Amino acid sequence: MAERLLQASRQRRVKAMTAAAGSAGLAALPLLLCALLVPGGAYVLDDSDGLGREFDGIGAVSGGGATSRLLVNYPEPYRSQILDYLFKPNFGASLHILKVEIGGDGQTTDGTEPSHMHYALDENYFRGYEWWLMKEAKKRNPDIILMGLPWSFPGWLGKHYNWPYVNLQLTAYYVMTWIVGAKHYHDLDIDYIGIWNERSFDINYIKVLRRMLNYQGLHRVKIIASDNLWEPISASMLLDPELLEVIDVIGAHYPGTHTVKDAKLTKKKLWSSEDFSTLNNDVGAGCLGRILNQNYINGYMTATIAWNLVASYYEQLPYGRCGLMTAQEPWSGHYVVESPIWVSAHTTQFTQPGWYYLKTVGHLEKGGSYVALTDGQGNLTIIVETMSHKHSKCIRPFLPYFNVSHQFATFVLKGSFSEIPELQVWYTKLGRPSTRFLFKQLDSLWLLDSGGTFTLELQEDELFTLTTLTTGTKGSYPLPPKSRPFPQVYKDDFDVDYPFFSEAPNFADQTGVFEYFTNIEDPGEHRFTLRQVLNQRPITWAADAYNTISIIGDYKWSNLTVTCDVYIETPEKGGVFIAGRVNKGGILIRGARGVFFWIFANGTYRVTGDLGGWIIYALGHVDVTAKKWYTLTLIINGRFSSGMLNGQYVWTDIPVSFPKNGWAAIGTYSFEFAQFDNFHVEASS
């Protein structure tokens, strides 16, 4: 191995010596010196005394919830380009792990994701978009690790309780069918399965789940628990030998780079199974750069999984733009490859699950940190970060103050690494645009005459990767189309005979699930519709509304006309609405304000200023019943609104002073079946 490295290094050196001096330009400003003895720390990288823990990978979460909702609507080639930046090896983020939400029909942060079993006797493994996303990830990287985790569960599992552990066997069966369905219908092997995101675990359920997986021949599927805090799961495992045996990985969320004593005593793999969750500007990139190193240095965590994969949801929903990159405009094709993509690449492109950390990792004398990993076959990757406190705060937890200052750091390669002839150098500088570089390849560092010693000059907010691997690439595509607002005139008749996805483009379900539906008995214009398909409240993860609602459009819309054909399926008690200026969504949906125009199967209508129906602007009687189609129109102009039923005004010029703007929406009075067709919105602002 060493001879091959030496020969390849010499060939590259001959090529490099023929290039013009200073070809690296401004990006070569960081000082890279071999065998220069300077004041400052000296850091030995050595495998003579064995290796540290096995590295399990860097990944990201799609879901928790509906965070990839708008991605599926992107036109080609832009959708494939986005996927390449996320998953393609040696191109962009080059992720090792993809964790997805097992849709449970409930609101799970930025929307709902549909379950594969809405009802007890219902199974459908083509709902939603996580199946598609996992296949696209596997297409680009066949070795990517796949994980599934429930946030919410369909209501039938709770038997009228908001609790998934009423029948342990039934819930374990439900999760097992998702794993089996992934393989049977999509040829996807799920590697890890979780319990219940950031909620209570049940010790007996975990054991039942393991037994059921084994019974189905799914011994290879590992269990990670409990996707919450380090405790009480770690102490529970130490007190229960069977529980200790069935759990393969302890996964904690937002651990602040630290673990606890009990977790270490289990001798299990420790993962930061959800982290980051920070606006994807340079501060977010700094957060990610710091934790990718220090989760291992401080907390022995061998995998870090960022929430979320790609910000593909309306930006005004909670945690807008908290993805590794931004793709929230399928109508324009515009997307942004944000700096966290390139911070990830510093680790992901030069390591693989199965590599090992060196024992010699740690903090730099004047702030920052370094880790080193090896494949055990002669390759070495060193990642050095100097993220400042100000520019690396994650959204959580609180980050105690620390200082980072200018320093020289000397590294000494020993053991099997002492003969390494050359290291490739990749560099990122976050901060002011005038000094900013993202994943820039610098001149190689030749170590032939230095005795395996080199020195870096380090400023704050920098990231270096030094590696024997020569496969790193900063992938690129031509610039995508320019950003454009959501179209001011938008129509959807839902006339799709065989939809590739179960949900209509751009509609973002916030409570309930709205799916394409075919009326076999209706040969007319309402043969293909959009249907709200939940008939009971799910086992919730967040504060789902008591009404179902799906939003669409531009949050800045103020003056608009919304028209939609509606069909109430539930006699007497059923009801539907259309709305404008809806100002909240996600986990805040229950408190959404706006202008809501409702009709009910009992022959009444209502106009409210909120989704909950507490603020009543008008009410009265109309000729409405269930099982008939009606056309609703809502007109909002300035401080006044009006409503029409089948082209006739029902109410006019009702004052609406708040909110000033928001999305359009459709929905139902309760968890009930209802249909929508010929949706049409025209906005003038």
Side-chain angles (χ1 to χ4, degrees), residues 132-202:
W132 166 82
L133 186 63
M134 287 189 282
K135 286 191 286 188
E136 291 295 326
K138 277 282 186 185
K139 191 187 298 182
R140 288 160 175 80
N141 177 6
D143 297 323
I144 198 166
I145 294 163
L146 298 178
M147 302 175 65
L149 175 66
W151 268 249
S152 66
F153 295 83
W156 60 271
L157 284 172
K159 299 186 184 298
H160 307 294
Y161 291 94
N162 196 38
W163 190 244
Y165 306 128
V166 173
N167 184 324
L168 303 184
Q169 282 77 16
L170 197 60
T171 300
Y173 172 81
Y174 166 80
V175 171
M176 178 274 294
T177 59
W178 185 86
I179 299 170
V180 171
K183 181 64 175 177
H184 182 77
Y185 293 97
H186 303 285
D187 197 25
L188 292 167
D189 291 305
I190 304 301
D191 299 290
Y192 291 88
I193 198 73
I195 306 305
W196 188 14
N197 182 72
E198 295 175 355
R199 298 292 181 265
S200 302
F201 62 89
D202 181 291

Side-chain angles (χ1 to χ4, degrees), residues 581-647:
R581 293 188 186 174
V582 178
N583 73 341
K584 288 181 183 174
I587 50 177
L588 306 175
I589 187 61
R590 196 183 285 185
R593 296 283 301 273
V595 182
F596 296 81
F597 178 18
W598 312 73
I599 58 169
F600 297 93
N602 64 4
T604 62
Y605 79 91
R606 193 171 296 177
V607 186
T608 68
D610 65 326
L611 177 61
W614 297 100
I615 303 167
I616 299 174
Y617 292 142
L619 48 79
H621 290 276
V622 283
D623 185 15
V624 167
T625 185
K627 309 285 187 181
K628 281 185 68 176
W629 281 98
Y630 301 94
T631 301
L632 293 185
T633 303
L634 172 65
I635 304 156
I636 309 174
N637 193 355
R639 295 190 302 109
F640 296 96
S641 66
S642 304
M644 302 169 76
L645 175 67
N646 291 342

Side-chain angles (χ1 to χ4, degrees), residues 280-295:
N280 58 21
N281 57 15
D282 275 11
V283 174
C287 152
L288 189 61
R290 178 174 55 79
I291 64 176
L292 289 185
N293 266 20
Q294 296 192 25
N295 274 348

